[in-house]
Amino acid sequence: MARVVLGVGASHSTLMNTHWDKVVHTDRAERFRDALGEARDEIAAAEPDLAIIVGSNHFRGFWLDMIPPFTLGVGEVIGSGEAKTPSGPQKTAPAFAQRLAEDLVERGTEVAISARLQIDHGQTHAIQYLLDGIDVPVVPLVVNVFAAPLPRPDRCAELGRNLTAAIEALPGDLRVVVIASGGLSHQLPWPDDWRAPDGADEEFLVEAWLNGRGDWERYDGRRREIITAARPVLFPAFDEAFLADLERGELAKYTAMTTQEIGAAAGNGGQELRTWLVMAAALGFAPGRALAYSPMPEWLTGMGVAVIRP
């Protein structure tokens, strides 16, 4: 029987690639980097046949002309390559992904599909660090966490449960690892409501989100300037409580939170916790193990790494 053999949750930040020389909290940065390496070793030890990467989109593969709540890459998968992340075609498993999409719909979770999906660091950061040297195909599952309305957290958990049920219905002894990429707490200098941008920077970002299809690089320079100039806003107490609940197997309670409640507790970037809830639900909300937590104002994010075994 095909089965999920491991779940991993890890924060991402392209500033880790481009701003390491500006890090002040070096010990925290190294602790997070080392934890990524430890999680990578756990994945290798699990001997997976493929990896499902549940991540967010940062308006390099989706734009405001169309953003489904959930999208599964079932054909070509292309890394955008921003900020020294992997670029170009990635190794994929189209037949598995298409069958997975069909089964998810039959089980009540309607996922969109893409036969030519461009992903950004919402998935490629995980490929770069968690799958380093591990030659397995990837199936990206993109969750909309930045363009309201966002999918409800309980629907994300339902997606995770149906994901495992669909995998277990497959023939053969397929071993699958589910990776969640995103979070923890952070506040991006993005408009909370894309319909009502406030000021020139937010107006520029909305224009980039609306018109970036096929031309996202034209907007990327100023986008990076806006992000790197942002004031860090982290919520370490929330992050630590979230990881403690992960270790106790109690993440299911976060599925009752609203979008507004998550934003107030963990910032607008905290909406990426939906990816962790998909992963944790796929592992049956089993107790896990936090490998590291590093609040990194230099990277604008509370950086965490954790693993869950079935």
Side-chain angles (χ1 to χ4, degrees):
M1 181 181 71
R3 62 194 189 280
V4 176
V5 295
L6 186 69
V8 176
S11 304
H12 60 237
S13 172
T14 58
L15 299 179
M16 178 178 175
N17 289 358
T18 61
H19 286 64
W20 191 277
D21 60 336
K22 296 180 173 59
V23 167
V24 175
H25 301 93
T26 307
D27 57 333
R28 299 183 192 176
E30 291 176 345
R31 183 162 63 249
F32 174 73
R33 180 198 59 198
D34 293 346
L36 288 178
E38 186 177 349
R40 179 259 170 223
D41 292 345
E42 292 249 8
I43 294 172
E47 299 182 333
D49 296 300
L50 61 85
I52 296 174
I53 303 180
V54 188
S56 53
N57 167 69
H58 304 83
F59 299 100
R60 294 183 182 88
F62 291 83
W63 288 268
L64 289 176
D65 58 0
M66 183 176 293
I67 299 185
F70 310 118
T71 305
L72 201 66
V74 300
E76 292 180 70
V77 175
I78 303 164
S80 60
E82 84 284 7
K84 302 179 182 179
T85 56
S87 63
Q90 305 298 307
K91 185 174 182 177
T92 59
F96 169 86
Q98 180 66 33
R99 180 162 179 175
L100 191 64
E102 293 171 358
D103 199 313
L104 284 170
V105 171
E106 289 300 315
R107 293 176 188 278
T109 300
E110 291 79 9
V111 294
I113 62 166
S114 174
R116 183 176 294 127
L117 180 63
Q118 180 164 291
I119 57 175
D120 61 24
H121 69 274
Q123 287 80 31
T124 56
H125 198 274
I127 294 172
Q128 183 174 21
Y129 291 101
L130 296 175
L131 297 179
D132 182 27
I134 302 174
D135 186 25
V136 295
V138 297
V139 176
L141 177 54
V142 184
V143 180
N144 170 30
V145 301
F146 288 125
L150 309 184
R152 295 196 323 246
D154 63 325
R155 289 285 288 166
C156 294
E158 180 183 60
L159 169 58
R161 289 190 293 268
N162 286 342
L163 193 64
T164 294
I167 290 167
E168 291 178 347
L170 293 171
D173 189 26
L174 195 69
R175 299 171 64 83
V176 179
V177 60
V178 179
I179 299 172
S181 178
L184 298 168
S185 71
H186 57 297
Q187 179 71 25
L188 295 169
W190 289 6
D192 289 328
D193 185 350
W194 58 268
R195 296 157 298 186
D198 182 14
D201 284 348
E202 290 194 0
E203 290 174 0
F204 171 82
L205 289 172
V206 171
E207 178 190 346
W209 296 354
L210 182 61
N211 301 317
R213 187 175 297 280
D215 196 24
W216 66 267
E217 293 97 333
R218 179 163 67 91
Y219 298 95
D220 217 43
R222 184 173 171 190
R223 275 186 49 154
R224 297 286 294 177
E225 290 175 359
I226 293 171
I227 290 171
T228 55
R231 179 178 64 88
V233 179
L234 310 181
F235 300 83
F238 174 88
D239 295 340
E240 290 169 354
F242 183 86
L243 291 174
D245 285 331
L246 180 146
E247 293 198 311
R248 289 189 291 263
E250 296 178 357
L251 286 189
K253 67 185 183 184
Y254 292 86
T255 65
M257 295 182 73
T258 65
T259 294
Q260 293 71 27
E261 288 169 341
I262 293 173
N268 58 13
Q271 305 295 349
E272 289 181 326
L273 294 173
R274 285 168 170 79
T275 68
W276 289 63
L277 295 178
V278 173
M279 179 274 294
L283 274 294
F285 288 112
R289 183 164 60 96
L291 304 182
Y293 174 64
S294 297
M296 291 297 299
E298 300 95 324
W299 299 341
L300 305 179
T301 305
M303 311 294 287
V305 185
V307 296
I308 303 177
R309 294 191 173 277

